[in-house]
Amino acid sequence: MTSVLRFLQTCGSVLIAVLAMAMSANPASGQVSFGNSEKFNGGWLFSLSDSPDAASPSFDDGSWTRVVLPHDWSVREPLSPTLASCTGYLPGGIGWYRKHFAVPSGKAEKWYVYFEGIYNRSEVYLNGHLLGSRPNGYISFMYDMTPYLNESGDNVLSVRVDHSRSADSRWYTGSGIYRDVWIVSAPEVHLAQWGTSYSLKELKKGRAVLQVKVSVDKGESPAGKLSVKTALYDREGRRVASASTPVRDTGVGVSEVSMELSVPDPELWSVDSPYLYTLSAELVCGRETVDGCRVRAGIREQGFDPDRGFALNGKWMKVKGVCLHHDAGVLGAAVPEDVWRRRLENLKSIGVNAIRMSHNPQAPAVYDLCDELGILVMDEAFDEWRFPKRKWIEGWNVGTPGFQGSADFFDAWCEADVTDMVRRDRNHPSIFLWSIGNEVDYPNDPYSHPVLDGSTISQPMFGGYHKDAPDAMELGEIAGRLAACVRAVDTSRPVTAALAGVVMSNETAYPDALDVVGYNYTEDRYDTDHAEYPERVIYGSENRPDIDAWKAVRDKDFIFGQFIWTGTDYLGESGPWPSRGFYTGLLDFGSFVKPRGHFRASLWSSEPVTYIGTYPSGNWLSVDAWDIWNYTPGEMIRVVCYTNSPQARLLLDGECVGEMKKYDDVTGIIYWDIPYRPGTLRAEGCDMDGNVLSSYEIKSSLRPYALKAYIDNAASAPDGHTVDHVIVEIVDENGTKVMLGDNEITCRIDGPATLLGLEAGNNSDMTDYTDNVHRAYHGRLLCYIRRDVQGQAVKLTFTSPLLEGCTIELR
């Protein structure tokens, strides 16, 4: 066990006090924490080709396509059953990006370019000079452009992206410069990249003491004495603490200074009350401020105990988490912040209080939103280590697998990659776990061990022991190496990993290298391993969405939480054609709550919840019942109710057609079998005295008659958001939504806006997603509209054959 956990066990339920901070909401921060950052997303040219001369400034790019970053070329290409199912039947390839730009003369001494993510195997050139290469497609990185910059005249930034190994992941990754790019100007002496951090040294009633560390990057000897000033401001902008210290090391290079801030009566960050301060750091040379940064900060404490689980701010709690990949259906991997905001709000509305970044670092904006909304984050580095996993090329779990991946550059880059993940993200109060790997111990994929021949082993995947497979004993060595990188940067949060082969890994040093141990789909090991390894902190790092997996958390104090697979439907890891992706999400591709999301709300939400879905009667209970009330008259229909009320009843047009039934803790579902007749079906969740706590109703509809449009932006979307979510519904002549409607809908835009995509959420729809025509699903279609000019009106017109169309104006 680590010293952190020994300390916790020696002192009982004593908590490690930690404080994390989040980047400023100011979009010009770029998360580099120094200089002046500006988005560098416009004016790029793109070609899906590979020319050996494309890095040359004199290369003719006049015929290339103009694009605005972030950009994912794969999602704009045709789907084909001849492509890999692991990618969602979408292609990869090799592409080039070029951008011509000029810099103001005399404005700055240093110029940098910062990429939040390029998938993958990127090479970046400036005026023909290679600035650097980064094979990992999920890591943010920065290059110094200064040595090769033309201070007057044209500069050409060229980026080669090699995703020719298109089936290199078990899920859809996207291709290209799919996250924001920033240009950063700074003096020779400035704050270091990702160089401002702090920890909570002491937290007592009425006071918090913060230890702030600031690194200074000196490209030359400073002209005067250097000092660093820090201050903390509350939500209203009042300064609540400040400190300063000299920088005694004046030599060229990076120096670090440390100081303390004493904060009176601190407001703590939590999932229910995510209070954020603002921390400022200023670099002063003589009497002149030469650089600075501002970040949002959240003060909190957390602790882990092998018997009691997890506590936040002294309160023991259950982590109700979901796993999330980084795509958004039709948008691919280039997902705007407004889309993420709505998705996270919808997840939180059904009781989710944590997300797992599966299985890689994600865009900085996602962490900022989790800080703001009060959502815990398990940040994760890798899905593969030294050897690749099998990828399904012809279908899910069928056919002949492929073995492309990231393993070929793992040993050379893993320490830098995990270090950069922690340095970039350590300042978010939402992050409470660092994960160094996911299912790298999957039995025989790739590692093996003699224990897999045991007759009592429940995980003999792909057969028993394979003596020619990689030896599982090296898992402990690699885990120790990666964990050391994490702890060298941050000791305020535990190191974890998601274990898929717990039985095999228990024979190695892998679990001992971790502070807390995640179990994937092995709830049957909880009691056994808790007894055998009493000092081990255990949780469900990946779990099925059924009620029994949740009860294993709910009913055991020593299991602090779970992460459901998965929070949203995602591209890739597809079944046999037609299948865009994996379809077990609580939300669909458009971030709408699915029936199983409502079922999860009945288990997790602290607010009263009732939902009803239907299907023809049978001898099963489903958590995937859609809220449809259109059947043949007299047909026996099963109505299932997901509620957290003690009991519920069913009414049809006000008449009781389903007697009051008590909540069933075995299944989590109340149900009635009734003959169908049209009308309004209503379920009422009641307390034990019969008082209605919550309700849900569905209506029979007539034939499709018209289209209806409305805006469904995130509730907390700020003024000046760039993407609108416009919902188009198919309704009957009474205005009732036609759940069975699947009419084809066309979108036309008048005004300065761009249609980013049309998303219906249908996993089996493999038609063209690049145009302005798409078929509805469950009576609904989502339109992503990007505002190209703020403040100007945009008119949207929606039409469908034989239906009345509609218009909506965005202002």
Side-chain angles (χ1 to χ4, degrees), residues 525-570:
R525 299 292 307 182
Y526 287 169
D527 290 326
T528 301
D529 283 15
H530 181 56
E532 188 169 351
Y533 308 100
E535 293 186 342
R536 180 179 294 181
V537 179
I538 301 173
Y539 69 103
S541 43
E542 189 170 315
N543 304 87
R544 303 179 308 277
D546 60 71
I547 191 170
D548 289 336
W550 168 240
K551 287 179 182 178
V553 177
R554 185 195 69 183
D555 300 339
K556 300 180 191 297
D557 289 342
F558 66 91
I559 301 297
F560 69 75
Q562 65 172 186
F563 289 88
I564 295 298
W565 194 265
T566 176
T568 66
D569 294 338
Y570 61 92

Side-chain angles (χ1 to χ4, degrees), residues 48-252:
L48 186 54
S49 61
D50 189 20
S51 170
D53 301 320
S56 170
S58 60
F59 180 82
D60 183 7
D61 54 22
S63 63
W64 284 21
T65 302
R66 293 189 175 274
V67 297
V68 175
L69 304 183
H71 176 254
D72 173 5
W73 82 65
S74 286
V75 80
R76 295 293 174 181
E77 294 297 303
L79 297 119
S80 171
T82 64
L83 298 173
S85 63
C86 63
T87 70
Y89 301 100
L90 286 162
I94 298 177
W96 278 86
Y97 295 84
R98 284 167 60 91
K99 181 179 173 70
H100 297 258
F101 68 100
V103 296
S105 60
K107 181 180 179 181
E109 297 169 317
K110 303 283 287 185
W111 291 90
Y112 303 86
V113 61
Y114 177 72
F115 295 90
E116 291 185 0
I118 303 176
Y119 203 90
N120 63 345
R121 301 174 188 267
S122 64
E123 299 170 359
V124 180
Y125 300 83
L126 178 64
N127 298 327
H129 300 276
L130 178 65
L131 297 181
S133 59
R134 195 69 180 240
N136 191 317
Y138 299 112
I139 297 296
S140 300
F141 56 91
M142 185 176 72
Y143 296 131
D144 185 355
M145 298 190 295
T146 312
Y148 309 110
L149 201 64
N150 296 323
E151 293 186 3
S152 60
D154 187 41
N155 290 279
V156 182
L157 195 63
S158 306
V159 181
R160 183 178 187 266
V161 185
D162 182 359
H163 194 200
S164 56
R165 301 169 178 85
S166 58
D168 62 351
S169 175
R170 297 183 297 144
W171 61 89
Y172 177 81
T173 63
S175 303
I177 309 178
Y178 69 104
R179 295 180 186 164
D180 287 328
V181 180
W182 304 78
I183 188 169
V184 185
S185 58
E188 282 281 359
V189 179
H190 56 78
L191 300 176
Q193 179 189 3
W194 303 328
T196 300
S197 66
Y198 65 91
S199 59
L200 185 58
K201 184 176 181 180
E202 180 180 296
L203 180 61
K204 294 183 178 179
K205 187 175 182 180
R207 187 178 70 138
V209 178
L210 317 181
Q211 184 175 42
V212 181
K213 294 183 178 180
V214 180
S215 294
V216 180
D217 191 346
K218 304 181 295 299
E220 63 182 13
S221 296
K225 293 183 178 180
L226 294 178
S227 63
V228 174
K229 297 180 179 179
T230 62
L232 192 72
Y233 299 87
D234 66 15
R235 186 179 288 170
E236 286 71 39
R238 296 184 293 258
R239 188 173 67 183
V240 297
S242 62
S244 64
T245 189
V247 181
R248 302 191 186 280
D249 180 4
T250 58
V252 174

Side-chain angles (χ1 to χ4, degrees), residues 713-724:
N713 293 338
S716 63
D719 293 338
H721 65 274
T722 59
V723 175
D724 284 293

